[in-house]
């Protein structure tokens, strides 16, 4: 059996019988067969099968250009103008019009990551068969057969992107990764790739494009040993020595050099002044994508060369040896002198005498170096405090030969700014003492105080109010968020009308900086700017939410916005009574239940307000027709799911308590005045029995809803059991309040921590109205979740605000500030200069500077009067030597 396969197509197949003879098959080869084809053969003999494949290569015509060197030197002097010329020829040596990409970089960079170019622009794959031939034998000579598998047929992937168009692959190596973009004009060629006298402005690129200054990239010191220096001989004149300053690692990058009509191309550049080997890379290609790559190397050198072995940086207090190699490339012995000059890079003052370690260590050292040999000189330095950057200059001169190199070294402080933090937390009618032990008991002689800052928030419950604009101004128009706007305005209206004191706070906020993010107020406490601290970026959007809260609480605006959102909800309600997620979509049972549950919250709020205050002016535009239509739809869905369940179950007494049915019963429990059908009552009775039996198998969210459902349907015994189980499985801490370890985020709508905690607050406050302590503990966890975060969705925010502001103790109306003693002295923020106490939250911040800070100020006593919670923080900042910083741990 013989098969000829070309381009995944079988062009010839023959079954041949051989009997002590041989046969020949001819296969014509045409231009269409470039890349090759495959001949497959197989034979069977004596119930034995053998199979094999031969790949026949049909080579493509050569497309390699030739680069002929016209002018090129493999040894060049530093800092001189060079002109190099090359001639580009076609595969047959003919004249061509081509484009040349040329670059030259310091070869020592290959020690970090080798660099090479490859260029395969023409898609010229060789052909390999994907067809396999197999045999099957059922252990009988009468049932032997072969078959072919055609699976796994695939084609070459032609992926083009801005960095790899036409298969151009520059690999990875240092500052030339960026050159891939430059070669296609997608990034401007940096001026720093050319010679630049301003050393500090030179930029190179590392890895995937990280930009650093050249003075941060000096080579590290390796095995430097101090050497004894000879007494100074006659002084050399160092003023005439040319100092090498341009030590950049990229000589040039020319992405688009064009040949003339003869195929000649030339370019000129100024050689960098670093004494090293350089790799030159040339890539030539024509419009027809004929191409070639050539690699050459050259060396910058002088007859006499100094090569300083400097560290990457210096640190205050260091004693360090700076050495320099001196090389002699002449054929005679050279003797001369080397000099180290040190300059304060900030002031420009020569500091050589102050920095050289001892007076016997002179700035100038004598040397003698053999023909074509090397020697070494070194100096010992002591780095003083207060120096920020040192410019060093190493100069060597021997008769008519001289060299010098200049570079910059940053001086890092031997001290660090340390921030010690002490969070403080207090509850209703408590007095607590907090101690920052390291401040109170400090004994370090090198520690220098920088700043001590105290901040305090007397009533953090107001941060829940400040979250309401997020609901009002969320930009999307899905029905859930349209309802959130209605809900936010309704809550805001209730809050604004419930207490005159609250109204006064809103008026004060409108004319203050209360609406600046709390994290931004503390920006000076961060070691990095808030814009550069990723986990704090949400503070900026928090400011945007808060700064328009004065508009939100404008009563006329609230009324208009409330009615506008309600009208939009009515307009978007489908004829079935349901809402889709976005207008025009299919009916969505979950979102309809969510909206009607929210309406139930508001109705419950009206009832509670009118019962507690006969003169309450709180009212909502009760959309009774809208609610009734939606409940009619939800009733039908409730029945539909039940009937579907009955149809597909073999035992109706098994656990069929679905999340949707529980959510429905929770929603329906708000509307006892809307009549139910006999069928609804029967199904409800069934699910109540299911709840009584299977509630232990449900999660926190469902258990909270079931407790409320059963309580509202007069099953006090089971609802009490659920609450007791929830309580027994909870965690209560002084700082975080009451919460559940299992309350974590996941995929489903009922696995949302904020909404779950809010629902459980609702359950405990309604079923155990006298247990204010537990409800307040639950609220503490929810409020702590807001301390440095946003509640991340409109749904979470609506539920959290409802739970915090309208359940348990009434915290908003508390006006008493906390009493604070620091170091035994009372702090009255109203008497402190430049300190403003924020209305509502009672937030203020005050600081003490260096000379004002005393160890006794590490003890803070806080007293909280009235309901609610308060939190704050003490921040102590100081400078300390690195080796004397001790660990500390606070929450």
């Amino acid at each position: 059996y013989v098969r000829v396969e070309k381009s995944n197509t079988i062009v010839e197949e023959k079954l041949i019988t051989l009997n002590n003879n041989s046969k020949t098959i001819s296969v014509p080869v045409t231009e269409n067969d470039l890349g090759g084809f495959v001949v497959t053969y197989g034979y069977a003999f004596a119930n034995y099968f053998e199979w094999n494949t031969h790949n026949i290569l049909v080579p493509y015509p050569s497309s390699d250009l030739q680069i002929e060197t016209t002018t090129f030197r493999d040894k060049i002097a530093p800092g001189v103008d060079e002109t190099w010329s090359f001639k580009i020829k076609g595969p047959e040596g003919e004249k061509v019009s081509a484009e040349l990409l040329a670059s030259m970089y310091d070869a020592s960079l290959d020690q970090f990551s080798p660099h090479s170019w490859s260029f395969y622009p023409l898609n010229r794959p060789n052909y390999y068969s994907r067809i396999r031939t197999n045999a099957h034998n059922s252990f009988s000579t009468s049932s032997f057969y072969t078959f072919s598998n055609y699976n796994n047929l695939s084609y070459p992937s032609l992926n083009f992107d801005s960095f790899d168009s036409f298969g151009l692959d520059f690999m990875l190596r240092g500052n030339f990764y960026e050159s891939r973009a430059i070669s296609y004009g997608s990034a401007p060629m940096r001026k720093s790739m050319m010679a630049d006298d301003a050393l500090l402005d030179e930029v190179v690129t590392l890895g995937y494009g990280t930009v650093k200054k050249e003075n941060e990239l000096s080579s590290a010191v390796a095995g430097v040993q101090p050497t004894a220096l000879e007494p100074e001989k006659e002084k050399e004149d160092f003023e005439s020595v040319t100092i090498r300053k341009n030590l950049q690692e990229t000589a040039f990058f020319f992405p688009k050099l064009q040949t003339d009509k003869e195929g000649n191309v030339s370019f000129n550049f100024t050689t960098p002044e670093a004494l090293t080997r350089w790799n030159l890379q040339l890539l030539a290609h024509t419009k027809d994508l004929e191409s070639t790559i050539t690699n050459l190397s050259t060396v910058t050198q002088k007859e006499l060369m100094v090569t300083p072995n400097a560290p990457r940086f210096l640190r205050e207090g260091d004693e360090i040896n700076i050495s320099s190699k001196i090389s002699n490339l002449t054929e005679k012995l050279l003797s001369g002198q080397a000099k180290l000059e040190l300059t304060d890079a900030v002031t420009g003052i020569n500091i050589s005498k102050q920095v050289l370690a001892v007076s016997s260590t002179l700035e100038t050292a004598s040397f003698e170096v053999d023909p074509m040999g090397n020697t070494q000189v070194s100096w010992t330095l002591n780095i003083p405090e207060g120096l920020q950057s040192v410019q060093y200059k190493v100069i060597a001169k021997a008769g008519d030969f001289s060299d010098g190199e200049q570079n910059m070294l940053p001086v890092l402080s031997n001290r660090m700014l340390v921030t010690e933090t002490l969070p403080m937390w207090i509850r209703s009618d408590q007095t607590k003492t907090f101690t920052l032990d390291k401040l109170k008991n400090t004994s370090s002689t090198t520690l220098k105080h920088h700043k001590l800052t105290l901040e305090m928030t007397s009533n953090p419950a107001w941060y829940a109010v400040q979250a309401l604009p997020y609901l009002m101004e969320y930009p999307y128009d899905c029905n859930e968020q349209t309802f959130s706007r209605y809900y936010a305005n309704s809550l805001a209206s209730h809050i604004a009308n419930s207490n005159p004191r609250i109204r006064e706070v809103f008026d004060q906020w409108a004319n203050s900086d209360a609406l600046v993010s709390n994290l931004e107020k503390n920006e000076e406490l961060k070691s990095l700017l808030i814009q550069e601290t990723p986990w704090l970026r949400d503070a900026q959007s928090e400011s945007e939410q808060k700064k328009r809260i004065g508009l939100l609480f404008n009563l006329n605006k609230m009324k208009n916005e409330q009615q506008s959102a309600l009208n939009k909800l009515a307009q978007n309600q489908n004829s079935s009574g349901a809402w889709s997620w976005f207008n025009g979509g299919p009916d969505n049972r979950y979102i309809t239940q969510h909206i009607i549950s929210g309406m139930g919250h508001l109705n419950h709020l009206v009832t509670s307000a009118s019962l507690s205050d006969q003169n309450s002016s709180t009212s909502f535009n009760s959309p009774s027709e809208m609610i009734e239509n939606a409940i009619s739809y939800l009733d039908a869905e409730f029945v539909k799911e039940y009937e579907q369940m009955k149809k597909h179950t073999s035992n109706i007494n098994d656990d069929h308590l679905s999340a949707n049915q529980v959510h429905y019963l929770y929603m329906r429990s708000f509307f006892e005045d809307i009549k139910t059908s006999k069928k609804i009552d029967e199904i409800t009775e069934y699910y109540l029995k299911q709840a009584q039996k299977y509630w232990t198998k449900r999660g926190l969210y469902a258990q909270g809803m079931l407790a409320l459902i059963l309580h509202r349907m007069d099953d006090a015994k089971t609802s009490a059991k659920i609450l007791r189980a929830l309580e027994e499985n909870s965690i209560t801490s002084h700082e975080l309040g009451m919460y559940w370890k299992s309350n974590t985020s996941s995929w489903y709508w009922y696995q949302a921590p904020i909404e779950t905690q809010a629902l459980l607050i609702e359950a405990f406050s309604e079923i155990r109205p006298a247990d204010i302590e537990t409800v307040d503990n639950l609220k503490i966890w929810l409020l702590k979740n807001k301390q440095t975060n946003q509640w991340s969705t409109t749904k979470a925010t609506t539920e959290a605000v409802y739970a915090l502001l309208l359940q348990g103790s009434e915290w908003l109306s508390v006006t008493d500030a906390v009493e604070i003693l620091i170091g035994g002295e009372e702090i009255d923020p109203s008497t402190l200069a430049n300190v403003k106490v924020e209305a509502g939250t009672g937030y203020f911040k005050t600081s003490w500077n260096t000379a004002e800070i005393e160890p006794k100020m590490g003890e803070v006593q806080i007293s909280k009067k009235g309901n609610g919670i308060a939190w704050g923080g003490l921040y102590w900042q100081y400078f300390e030597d690195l080796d004397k910083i001790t660990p500390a741990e606070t929450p």
Side-chain angles (χ1 to χ4, degrees):
Y1 168 80
V2 178
R3 180 179 69 223
V4 179
E5 181 187 338
K6 297 182 179 181
S7 303
N8 288 325
T9 301
I10 298 173
V11 298
E12 188 172 1
E13 256 183 319
K14 287 186 176 181
L15 190 62
I16 303 170
T17 301
L18 297 176
N19 186 10
N20 289 325
N21 64 343
S22 63
K23 292 187 179 180
T24 302
I25 298 174
S26 297
V27 179
V29 179
T30 68
E31 187 177 345
N32 295 329
D33 296 328
L34 290 173
F37 57 91
V38 173
V39 175
T40 301
Y41 69 88
Y43 64 85
F45 176 74
N47 209 26
Y48 175 79
F49 175 77
E50 181 70 36
W51 170 87
N52 212 334
T53 293
H54 285 294
N55 294 304
I56 311 300
L57 181 63
V58 181
Y60 293 94
S62 172
S63 62
D64 289 344
L65 300 177
Q66 302 173 49
I67 299 180
E68 180 184 290
T69 301
T70 305
T71 305
F72 171 77
R73 280 170 283 279
D74 58 4
K75 293 183 178 62
I76 53 179
V80 299
D81 288 334
E82 280 285 326
T83 299
W84 288 347
S85 302
F86 301 92
K87 188 180 186 67
I88 316 297
K89 297 180 180 180
E92 305 298 328
E94 70 274 18
K95 299 177 184 177
V96 294
S97 176
E99 184 176 284
L100 183 70
L101 168 65
S103 79
M104 192 168 81
Y105 67 92
D106 189 332
S108 65
L109 293 175
D110 282 343
Q111 296 299 314
F112 299 101
S113 178
H115 181 52
S116 62
W117 288 351
S118 59
F119 189 51
Y120 304 105
L122 297 175
N123 184 26
R124 292 177 163 180
N126 292 325
Y127 180 71
Y128 298 95
S129 175
R130 301 292 192 276
I131 303 176
R132 299 290 179 264
T133 301
N134 294 287
H136 176 76
N137 187 350
S138 61
F139 307 104
S140 167
T141 56
S142 62
S143 60
F144 179 86
Y145 63 93
T146 64
F147 60 94
S148 293
N149 287 343
Y150 289 79
N151 56 340
N152 297 325
L153 288 175
S154 61
Y155 299 89
S157 176
L158 303 179
N159 294 320
F160 303 114
D161 58 52
S162 59
F163 286 147
D164 199 21
S165 300
F166 306 107
L168 177 61
D169 182 9
F170 279 78
M171 308 296 285
L172 265 185
R173 204 285 305 147
N175 49 343
F176 275 85
Y177 191 90
E178 179 182 41
S179 68
R180 305 204 309 182
I182 296 172
S183 67
Y184 292 101
S186 46
M189 182 160 64
R190 300 186 185 276
K191 293 181 180 178
S192 56
M193 290 187 172
M194 309 303 290
D196 191 338
D197 290 333
L199 177 64
L200 287 177
D201 289 337
E202 183 186 346
V203 178
V204 297
T205 309
L206 295 177
Y208 286 87
T210 305
V211 176
K212 295 207 173 200
K213 294 294 180 69
E214 172 72 14
N215 65 325
E216 297 173 355
L217 303 173
S218 305
S219 58
V221 64
V224 178
Q225 298 293 331
T227 57
L229 300 178
E230 298 179 8
E232 187 176 7
K233 298 179 181 177
E234 63 176 88
K235 283 208 166 191
E236 291 277 8
D237 176 18
F238 293 106
E239 297 298 324
S240 60
V241 178
T242 301
I243 307 299
R244 293 179 287 103
K245 302 177 183 178
N246 179 11
L247 306 179
Q248 66 188 37
E249 294 160 314
T250 304
F252 55 76
F253 181 82
F254 299 134
K256 194 174 182 181
L257 300 169
Q258 300 284 356
T259 59
D260 60 19
K261 61 182 180 180
E262 300 296 324
N264 296 311
V265 61
S266 65
F267 53 87
N268 65 290
F269 63 99
T270 301
T271 60
E273 296 176 340
L275 303 177
T276 185
R277 177 175 297 279
W278 300 86
N279 285 342
L280 171 68
Q281 297 184 115
L282 303 173
L283 163 62
H285 69 87
T286 65
K287 287 185 177 181
D288 296 330
L289 295 182
E290 295 175 324
S291 65
T292 192
I293 291 175
T294 296
N295 295 299
L296 301 168
S297 66
T298 187
V299 175
T300 45
Q301 63 181 34
K302 299 177 70 175
E303 289 88 346
L304 179 70
M305 297 187 292
V306 294
T307 309
N309 191 5
R312 203 163 53 85
F313 57 84
L314 302 171
R315 193 180 289 281
E316 291 179 350
D318 275 355
E319 180 176 296
I320 189 169
N321 293 311
I322 298 289
S323 65
S324 179
K325 181 174 75 172
I326 299 178
S327 303
N328 177 12
L329 296 184
T330 69
E331 300 292 336
K332 60 182 180 179
L333 177 74
L334 292 180
S335 60
Q337 293 179 327
K339 181 180 181 182
L340 173 67
E341 289 184 9
L342 300 169
T343 305
D344 185 330
V346 177
T347 64
I349 298 173
N350 188 303
I351 54 172
S352 302
K353 287 183 170 56
Q354 297 94 303
V355 176
L356 287 168
V358 289
S359 57
S360 59
T361 301
L362 304 174
E363 295 175 57
T364 305
S366 299
F367 67 85
E368 190 172 89
V369 56
D370 294 332
M372 305 302 292
N374 302 314
T375 190
Q376 177 181 281
V377 293
S378 64
W379 296 265
T380 302
L381 311 180
N382 279 338
I383 310 303
E385 289 187 11
L387 198 59
Q388 296 180 24
S389 183
V390 173
Q391 176 182 285
Y392 70 85
K393 189 186 294 182
V394 178
I395 311 169
K397 188 171 184 184
D400 295 333
F401 302 105
S402 64
D403 189 28
E405 182 172 309
Q406 175 182 303
N407 209 340
M408 201 84 69
L409 291 176
V411 180
L412 306 185
S413 173
N414 196 36
R415 302 168 67 77
M416 182 174 283
L417 177 65
V418 181
T419 302
E420 305 274 2
T421 64
L422 178 65
M424 299 179 292
W425 177 265
I426 192 168
R427 299 195 187 189
S428 307
D429 298 313
Q430 275 189 341
T431 297
K432 290 182 67 176
T433 299
F434 301 87
T435 304
L436 192 57
D437 293 324
K438 291 182 69 177
L439 171 57
K440 189 176 180 180
N441 303 317
T442 181
S443 57
S444 172
T445 57
T446 55
L447 183 148
K448 291 182 181 178
H449 296 297
H450 175 62
K451 184 175 284 191
L452 181 68
T453 300
L454 170 73
E455 67 167 358
M456 202 70 214
T457 302
S458 301
N459 195 350
W462 279 92
Y463 293 139
V465 178
Q466 292 177 343
L468 286 171
Y470 171 60
L471 300 178
M472 270 299 305
E473 300 178 356
Y474 203 75
Y476 304 113
D477 279 333
C478 74
N479 287 316
E480 182 263 324
Q481 283 144 19
T482 301
F483 168 72
S484 292
R485 284 194 279 276
Y486 171 74
Y487 192 94
N489 273 290
S490 300
L491 286 182
S493 178
H494 171 78
I495 294 166
N497 285 293
S498 62
N499 192 316
R501 163 69 185 149
I502 295 172
R503 180 71 248 169
E504 292 172 15
V505 171
F506 296 152
D507 292 338
Q508 292 178 55
W509 281 1
N511 301 304
S512 72
D513 66 349
L515 308 177
V516 174
S517 159
N518 306 312
L519 292 170
E520 287 182 295
K521 293 175 190 175
N522 284 328
E523 189 172 317
E524 72 274 12
L525 297 177
K526 312 301 173 187
S527 59
L528 292 173
L529 293 176
I530 196 168
Q531 289 84 353
E532 297 173 358
T533 315
W535 65 274
L536 294 179
R537 283 181 182 158
D538 283 345
Q540 295 172 320
S541 56
E542 185 185 353
S543 286
E544 292 299 312
Q545 295 160 21
K546 292 168 72 178
K547 71 182 182 181
R548 293 183 295 280
I549 202 165
L551 281 177
L552 170 62
F553 285 100
N554 178 292
L555 293 177
N556 290 328
K557 183 176 187 291
M558 279 192 292
K559 187 175 180 180
N560 292 335
E561 292 286 349
Q562 185 182 9
Q563 191 59 47
S564 173
L566 192 60
N567 290 341
K568 191 163 190 177
L569 276 178
Q571 179 183 341
N572 291 352
Q573 191 174 24
N574 298 335
S575 58
S576 63
W579 282 278
S580 54
W581 198 278
F582 277 86
N583 192 31
D587 293 350
N588 188 290
R589 179 182 174 186
Y590 168 72
I591 198 61
T592 306
Q593 285 180 174
H594 170 70
I595 291 172
I596 299 303
S597 296
M599 295 291 187
H601 277 166
L602 296 177
N603 285 341
H604 183 70
L605 181 61
V606 173
T607 305
S608 301
S610 59
L611 287 175
S612 61
D613 183 4
Q614 298 298 323
N615 299 315
S616 171
S617 61
T618 300
S619 66
F620 302 121
N621 299 324
S622 181
S624 56
E625 184 180 353
M626 180 193 302
I627 292 173
E628 289 173 6
N629 290 338
I631 289 179
S632 177
Y633 160 79
L634 294 171
D635 286 348
E637 290 294 307
F638 179 63
V639 173
K640 182 179 176 182
E641 181 175 331
Y642 172 77
E643 296 295 347
Q644 284 289 105
M645 178 271 297
K646 277 182 63 179
K647 184 178 178 181
H648 293 96
T649 186
S650 59
N651 187 352
I652 197 168
N653 293 318
D654 286 346
D655 185 356
H656 299 295
L657 196 61
S658 73
N660 276 340
Q661 299 296 67
V662 173
H663 194 206
Y664 165 85
L665 293 172
Y666 170 71
M667 174 278 301
R668 203 63 170 83
S669 67
F670 285 106
F671 301 98
E672 294 178 352
D673 56 324
I674 298 180
K675 291 183 179 181
T676 56
S677 67
K678 186 177 179 181
K679 182 72 171 177
I680 294 288
D681 292 340
E682 290 174 0
I683 299 174
T684 299
E685 187 64 29
Y686 165 78
Y687 280 113
L688 289 179
K689 289 178 181 177
Q690 288 262 303
Q692 292 163 354
K693 187 176 180 181
Y694 295 114
W695 66 265
T696 57
K697 297 183 178 180
R698 295 296 173 269
L700 292 172
Y701 200 94
Q703 286 185 3
M705 285 194 292
L706 289 172
L708 285 164
I709 293 163
L710 293 165
H711 172 74
R712 292 169 184 174
M713 295 186 177
D714 300 323
D715 185 357
K717 183 179 178 181
T718 309
S719 66
K721 278 184 185 178
I722 295 174
L723 283 199
R724 187 166 63 250
L726 286 167
E727 197 170 33
E728 289 171 355
N729 286 288
S730 68
I731 299 170
T732 302
S733 78
H734 181 76
E735 181 183 355
L736 297 177
M738 180 174 170
Y739 61 99
W740 286 263
K741 192 175 182 179
S742 59
N743 187 15
T744 55
S745 298
S746 191
W747 176 255
Y748 298 103
W749 60 267
Y750 48 82
Q751 294 170 318
I754 302 302
E755 291 93 318
T756 299
Q757 187 83 3
L759 182 81
L760 294 173
I761 290 172
E762 183 184 354
F764 275 89
S765 64
E766 185 173 327
I767 299 169
R768 293 186 190 172
D771 192 0
I772 298 297
E773 182 181 356
T774 297
V775 174
D776 283 355
N777 271 333
L778 291 165
K779 289 168 64 175
I780 285 170
W781 184 88
L782 203 55
L783 196 54
K784 284 291 287 183
N785 220 279
K786 180 70 176 68
Q787 189 168 8
T788 55
N789 296 289
Q790 302 173 74
W791 293 311
S792 56
T793 66
T794 50
K795 182 168 169 283
T797 305
T798 55
E799 303 299 346
V801 170
Y802 178 80
L804 278 174
L805 302 183
L806 309 168
Q807 311 282 348
S809 302
E810 210 293 279
W811 288 355
L812 287 187
S813 59
V814 176
T815 58
D816 294 330
V818 294
E819 295 178 358
I820 304 171
L821 297 177
I822 183 164
E825 297 182 13
E826 184 175 354
I827 302 297
D828 183 358
S830 63
T831 63
L832 298 175
N834 301 319
V835 174
K836 293 182 180 179
V837 179
E838 184 177 292
T841 63
Y843 173 86
F844 75 91
K845 182 181 68 175
T846 186
S847 298
W848 295 266
N849 291 319
T850 306
E852 303 169 305
I853 302 172
E854 302 177 36
K856 67 177 184 178
M857 298 172 78
E859 185 172 283
V860 181
Q861 180 179 300
I862 302 175
S863 299
K864 168 72 175 173
K865 293 181 179 179
N867 290 329
I869 57 176
W871 65 46
L874 190 68
Y875 309 91
W876 174 42
Q877 294 181 296
Y878 59 88
F879 290 96
E880 179 60 291
D881 289 351
L882 291 174
D883 58 346
K884 295 180 181 177
I885 295 173
T886 56
E889 189 172 319
T890 58

